[in-house]
Structure formats: structure tokens, C-alpha cells
Amino acid sequence: MTKLANIAFVAVLLIGSAADCFAAEKPSIVVEIDSPLASSNPLQGYLRQTTDARPSPAVILLHSCNGNWRPTDERWGKRIAAWGYVTLTVDSLGSRGINSCRNTTPHDVDRDAYRALKFLVRLPSVDPARVALLGFARGGATALRSVEHGPFEKTSPNKFGAAIAFYPPCSSFKGYMTVPTLILIGELDDWTPAEECRNMVDGRDAWGISRQERGAPVKLIVYPGAYHAFDAPGPKNPIEGHHLEFNQSATDQSSEALREFLDATIGAKE
């Protein structure tokens, strides 16, 4: 083979590899989670499909209180989809025509998780028995509330297989979960303190009194040196007096922990 032919052969290989990469990554599309006939404010979300011909496990993502569903999809939806999961990033605020969760109640947003689940399990590309819920800050609280023993979990005919919460407020939860749950938080978080999550996971209340309830296992990972929103690149300006700061090490470690947890709970079957 001549030198020119070698160069051409390598070029074909590179082009083919690039095509495979682009083919494997499907772009997100905006979908209406509710039928317009079922709601005056249809819930919307970014959906990312897989290339697998078989029904795949799926992850629903819930953004934080500032309504950053597009960055959440780009930062985490895209990453999780590359791992072989269908992802649906829900727009809880924009669908309601608001830009802050101060204008809504927790119960309004809490229902979004199960509305999204109802939508996903109807897709031929999704295995309805393998859907996890992932939330950030306020969305993390919704994720915990959705799988805690209570009215939301009991009344829904569809069930989640696992839940993950990034830096959620843990003080209002008993830790009595119905499915395996993972909590990821920074040690220096002054908005949603890690100590409250430790108490929840250990079954203690605010006074240190142990509770007797038992449920599915809850795993807590605390990242030293990390603040609130450690996975979100951006300015370090305080919000409502709280310190926010991106931490690359905590982000990388949380990504590894998240993938390991998803694979162990709802991951692809052999």
C-alpha cells in the first residue's frame, strides 16, 4: 500500500469513527409530557433517546429552584444518555410560565415527577420497570419526597426503581425510602447542610433522637471542600447569602458515583 493510500485509509477510519460517535449521540428534543387536552399548562421536557433497539432504562431529571433545565440537560442529561439511558429533563417552572419556585408550592412541583414517569413508561424505548429519578437542590427534595413512604408513592400505579438527590434539603425527611436512594452533597454546603442529610440517613431527628422506621437503603456521599451546586460551572456570587462554587473534583467523583449507582439499580440487564 502506497503512502498516499495509507493516508486515505486512515482518513476513512477517522471519518467512520466520527460518524459512529455522532450516530450514537441523539440530540435532545422538546416533548410535551402532558396532552394539551389534559392540562391548560402542559408540562414539557427535553427527551434524549438511546440507539438500543431494546427497551432501555431511563432517568428523569428535575432542575433546581432557579429553573435551569437546559443547563441541567446539557450537563447531566447528555452525559447520562451517553451511558445508555433514556433521559427526560423536566421544565417545572417554564411550563407554568414562571421563573422561580417561590411562585409555586412544593406539592405542585412534586407531582411533576410522576407526570413525567407516566409519560416515559408509555414509550416503546423505555423499560417501565427501570426508571430512576434524579433531582438537584429543590429538585432533589422532590426526588426524595417522590420515593419516600407517603401519598405520592402509594397512589401512583407506576413506580420508580431508584432515586438520586444532589445537595437536597434533608431536614424534612425521615429517610424511610421505598427504593435505593443516593444523596450527594458538599461538606461546606451552607444552604442545604450535609449534617441534616447525615441525620436523615442515620435515622436521627433534629434533636438526635433515633427513629425506628426502616426502608430501602440510603447512601450518602459527602465531598470535602465542596459547596452548594458544586457541579454547576459559573460565577461564585452568593445567592440569597449562600456560597455557591464549582468543584471539578467533586463533580468528577459524583459522576462516577452516579453511574455506578444507576448501573447497580436500574442498569442494563444481561
Side-chain angles (χ1 to χ4, degrees), residues 4 23 123 147 185 194 212 263:
L4 183 60
L123 299 181
V147 300
I185 198 165
Q212 299 302 315
D263 289 346

Side-chain angles (χ1 to χ4, degrees), residues 45-262:
Y46 275 130
L47 177 69
R48 291 181 182 270
Q49 300 271 25
T50 69
T51 57
D52 198 330
R54 302 170 299 175
S56 301
V59 180
I60 294 171
L61 293 87
L62 304 175
H63 58 71
S64 61
C65 199
N66 62 0
N68 58 354
W69 69 307
R70 289 179 178 83
T72 298
D73 175 70
E74 281 295 318
R75 193 164 66 247
W76 287 105
K78 187 175 184 180
R79 181 181 314 196
I80 296 169
W83 298 341
Y85 296 86
V86 172
T87 64
L88 177 61
T89 305
V90 179
D91 179 17
S92 289
L93 302 185
S95 299
R96 292 178 169 86
I98 56 179
N99 57 16
S100 172
C101 59
R102 297 186 192 88
N103 301 320
T104 186
T105 66
H107 290 296
D108 289 337
V109 178
D110 284 348
R111 291 186 174 85
D112 291 352
Y114 281 101
R115 290 163 72 186
L117 179 61
K118 183 179 180 180
F119 170 85
L120 268 188
V121 298
R122 294 176 176 176
L123 299 181
S125 59
V126 172
D127 183 341
R130 295 187 291 157
V131 181
L133 183 60
L134 165 62
F136 300 83
R138 173 76 171 269
T142 298
L144 296 180
R145 195 171 292 109
S146 297
V147 300
E148 188 176 42
H149 281 273
F152 287 109
E153 190 277 332
K154 288 181 180 178
T155 57
S156 173
N158 305 304
K159 308 296 182 182
F160 288 104
I164 308 96
F166 275 66
Y167 36 87
C170 291
S171 60
S172 62
F173 297 98
K174 295 182 177 180
Y176 191 22
M177 303 301 173
T178 60
V179 297
T181 301
L182 174 65
I183 299 174
L184 307 159
I185 198 165
E187 181 67 64
L188 303 180
D189 196 320
D190 63 357
W191 203 338
T192 55
E195 189 61 27
E196 293 179 353
C197 294
R198 288 193 179 98
N199 288 338
M200 187 198 80
V201 172
D202 293 341
R204 299 192 305 270
D205 60 22
W207 295 274
I209 300 174
S210 296
R211 297 184 296 268
Q212 299 302 315
E213 294 94 339
R214 293 292 182 269
V218 181
K219 182 178 181 180
L220 171 66
I221 300 178
V222 180
Y223 297 107
Y227 290 88
H228 194 79
F230 59 76
D231 64 309
K236 301 178 182 179
N237 298 331
I239 296 181
E240 296 184 13
H242 298 287
H243 187 109
L244 281 68
E245 183 175 325
F246 176 68
N247 186 304
Q248 187 66 61
S249 176
T251 299
D252 292 343
Q253 292 179 64
S254 66
S255 178
E256 293 175 6
L258 174 61
R259 185 171 188 177
E260 180 180 339
F261 180 77
L262 289 174

